[in-house]
Amino acid sequence: MAEICLKNHPRKNIALAQIEQLKQEDDDFFSTIGQLRDDLFKENIRLFVSMDWKQEASDLEWHLSKILKDNWQLDIELPNAMQFGENAIVSDDEVFTTYDTALHSHGLKIGYLDMDSDSYVFMVHPIQATDTVKKNIEII
């Protein structure tokens, strides 16, 4: 998944090395993914992003903008979070869908990990890799 979702990230090798290290450890899924997400975030690498259901829509816009610039070297004009209202949160109707639709015109989409929590854990990947991403999520 890192190869797919961090396609052009200049520090992808750091992520791949951390993933290899985690493969050697015998932790459960949730702590391993959480640890990886946190460790990579400290390195300014966004493979997986976790957002609480009540975070502001503008936070989602910021994360997506960073992912697009860092992982894909794309500077895409995303929908402005203010279009959802001043107090819009990511769990409001159409927030994720609107951003996902904007990514589609660039061959990308938002993929989700179901962590059985009230947070959204997502990544951005090519539409054409959807089946591969789904299979990798099932393996994880």
Side-chain angles (χ1 to χ4, degrees):
M1 290 248 296
E3 288 286 353
I4 294 169
C5 297
L6 299 174
K7 181 161 176 71
N8 297 322
H9 198 290
R11 301 175 74 219
K12 177 172 57 176
N13 289 337
I14 292 171
L16 296 175
Q18 287 189 356
I19 290 167
E20 278 304 313
Q21 181 181 350
L22 285 173
K23 284 181 181 179
Q24 307 305 318
E25 298 173 7
D26 191 22
D27 289 337
D28 68 70
F29 168 75
F30 296 109
S31 64
T32 302
I33 289 295
Q35 186 64 48
L36 177 64
R37 183 192 64 235
D38 294 346
D39 289 348
L40 292 179
F41 194 79
K42 289 175 189 171
E43 295 285 345
N44 199 29
I45 301 171
R46 288 167 185 78
L47 173 57
F48 300 112
V49 175
S50 178
M51 295 187 70
D52 189 81
W53 69 271
K54 59 185 175 285
Q55 277 187 262
E56 294 180 11
S58 60
D59 292 340
L60 175 59
E61 181 183 350
W62 182 82
H63 279 296
L64 289 173
S65 178
K66 290 291 290 173
I67 288 170
L68 293 169
K69 286 179 185 171
D70 294 346
N71 299 4
W72 302 95
Q73 273 68 66
L74 293 173
D75 191 15
I76 298 170
E77 186 171 334
L78 294 169
N80 187 315
M82 291 305 292
Q83 80 181 49
F84 305 109
E86 190 173 324
N87 298 314
I89 57 176
V90 296
S91 60
D92 287 346
D93 288 344
E94 303 301 316
V95 172
F96 267 101
T97 304
T98 299
Y99 286 106
D100 191 46
T101 300
L103 295 178
H104 286 190
S105 62
H106 299 278
L108 300 170
K109 69 177 287 153
I110 299 172
Y112 302 91
L113 283 171
D114 184 0
M115 302 285 285
D116 196 28
S117 73
D118 61 354
S119 294
Y120 296 97
V121 179
F122 66 92
M123 79 288 299
V124 173
H125 63 82
I127 293 170
Q128 66 192 28
T130 299
D131 289 339
T132 303
V133 169
K134 284 181 182 179
K135 287 176 187 172
N136 281 301
I137 288 172
E138 287 174 12
I139 291 169
I140 292 172

